[in-house]
């Protein structure tokens, strides 16, 4: 083995300065998707970082007691806004590379692997194709693209929360990603 790639959870973006101090020359990648899709997903099954109180409010840019007055949609959007905001700051400083979820899994052999100095041959491409056919969160089931369905099913509350807390940051990430492509 000559390479190691570590996938961190989304809330690691809040610790990016510490991560950069520990690994100053390691390439970093931030994979992200449309906020309405993320919020809708977390309303169905919350990740650790989307449960109120698991991340310190001050790290999310929230005033003490603010999260208690937020709807579930607003809270998820505010957390996502903080994470995307940290990624945007790092992207503006050229610290991280950006990959939109819509580019996956194709971006793995063509963009992501080369970023980490990993050479991809036909055997590796075949292995990626097999892995990409399975759901990453539950490999027992096939992967089914859900972006369009998630966007269509976004409630008015999800759309309003995304617009208020994260849509502008998402747009800025997309602008940087497209400009650097």
């Amino acid at each position: 083995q000559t390479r190691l790639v570590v996938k961190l959870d989304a809330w690691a973006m809040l610790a990016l300065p510490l991560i950069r101090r520990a690994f100053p020359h390691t390439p970093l990648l931030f994979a992200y998707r449309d906020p309405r899709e993320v919020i809708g997903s977390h309303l169905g099954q919350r990740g650790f970082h989307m449960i109120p109180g698991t991340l310190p409010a001050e790290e999310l840019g929230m005033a003490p007691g603010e999260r208690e007055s937020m709807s579930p949609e607003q809270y998820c959007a505010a957390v996502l806004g903080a994470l995307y905001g940290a990624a945007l700051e790092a992207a503006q400083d050229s610290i991280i590379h950006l990959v939109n979820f819509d580019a996956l899994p194709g971006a793995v052999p063509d963009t992501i692997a080369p970023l980490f100095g990993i050479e991809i041959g036909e055997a590796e491409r075949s292995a990626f194709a097999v892995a990409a056919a399975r759901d990453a969160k539950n490999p027992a089931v096939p992967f089914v693209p859900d972006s369009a369905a998630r966007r269509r099913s976004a409630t008015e509350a999800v759309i309003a929360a995304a617009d208020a807390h994260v849509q502008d940051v998402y747009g800025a990430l997309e602008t940087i990603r497209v400009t650097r492509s």
Side-chain angles (χ1 to χ4, degrees), residues 28-32 87-88 91 96-100 111 172-178 180-181:
L28 298 175
L29 175 88
F30 183 70
Y32 61 99
L88 177 60
I96 61 173
H97 300 271
L98 301 172
V99 173
N100 190 299
T111 304
L173 287 168
E174 280 292 272
T175 298
I176 291 172
R177 182 189 60 79
V178 169
R180 291 188 183 154
S181 297

Side-chain angles (χ1 to χ4, degrees), residues 20 35 38-39 60 69 75 86 89 104-105 108 116 128 133-134 138 141 145 148 165 177 179 181:
R20 288 314 288 162
V38 178
I39 296 165
L60 300 171
S69 66
Y75 183 78
E89 185 177 325
L104 298 172
V108 173
F116 292 99
F128 280 132
R134 311 306 306 165
N138 183 359
V141 299
H165 295 280
R177 182 189 60 79
T179 301
S181 297

